[in-house]
Amino acid sequence: MDMRKKKAIVEAALESEYERQALGIMNTEQALKLEDSDGLVFSHPDKEAGVTDHFVDQDELRRLVRRSTSPLPVLRSRDRTTRQDRAARQP
């Protein structure tokens, strides 16, 4: 699971036929641990929580988080890269 999606911030809400009542803000990992309940929806993890009107149910949120497979960028320090480059150049 992509850590960016796992830690994306979403708004949890209870949705009825007439309104959507905000419950709180959490990350997707916490949202997926909540007990499934009728009307429980979450803001789309690619949108801004608390602002967007794009909401999905828990099953769709789970699919969105699992579908995200892009790896996190590898961070390397310049010193480490320089030493590795020097070592590779030496006979």
Side-chain angles (χ1 to χ4, degrees):
M1 183 182 304
D2 185 344
M3 287 301 287
R4 289 174 288 191
K5 285 282 188 184
K6 190 174 182 180
K7 298 297 183 182
I9 301 299
V10 295
E11 176 184 355
L14 278 177
E15 193 170 64
S16 71
E17 186 177 341
Y18 304 105
E19 68 179 341
R20 184 171 41 235
Q21 181 67 42
L23 298 175
I25 302 288
M26 61 191 70
N27 65 46
T28 54
E29 183 177 31
Q30 294 166 321
L32 293 173
K33 289 180 181 179
L34 292 176
E35 187 173 320
D36 195 15
S37 176
D38 286 342
L40 184 61
V41 293
F42 304 92
S43 60
H44 193 287
D46 290 338
K47 309 292 182 186
E48 188 175 351
V51 176
T52 186
D53 283 331
H54 187 173
F55 280 75
V56 297
D57 64 19
Q58 201 169 29
D59 289 335
E60 180 64 17
L61 180 63
R62 189 173 287 111
R63 282 191 289 275
L64 289 167
V65 171
R66 284 185 184 153
R67 191 177 329 152
S68 175
T69 57
S70 60
L72 291 172
V74 176
L75 301 176
R76 296 179 1 172
S77 72
R78 282 190 183 148
D79 291 339
R80 172 176 271 167
T81 302
T82 303
R83 278 186 252 134
Q84 287 173 346
D85 289 343
R86 282 188 219 141
R89 286 187 223 141
Q90 292 179 353

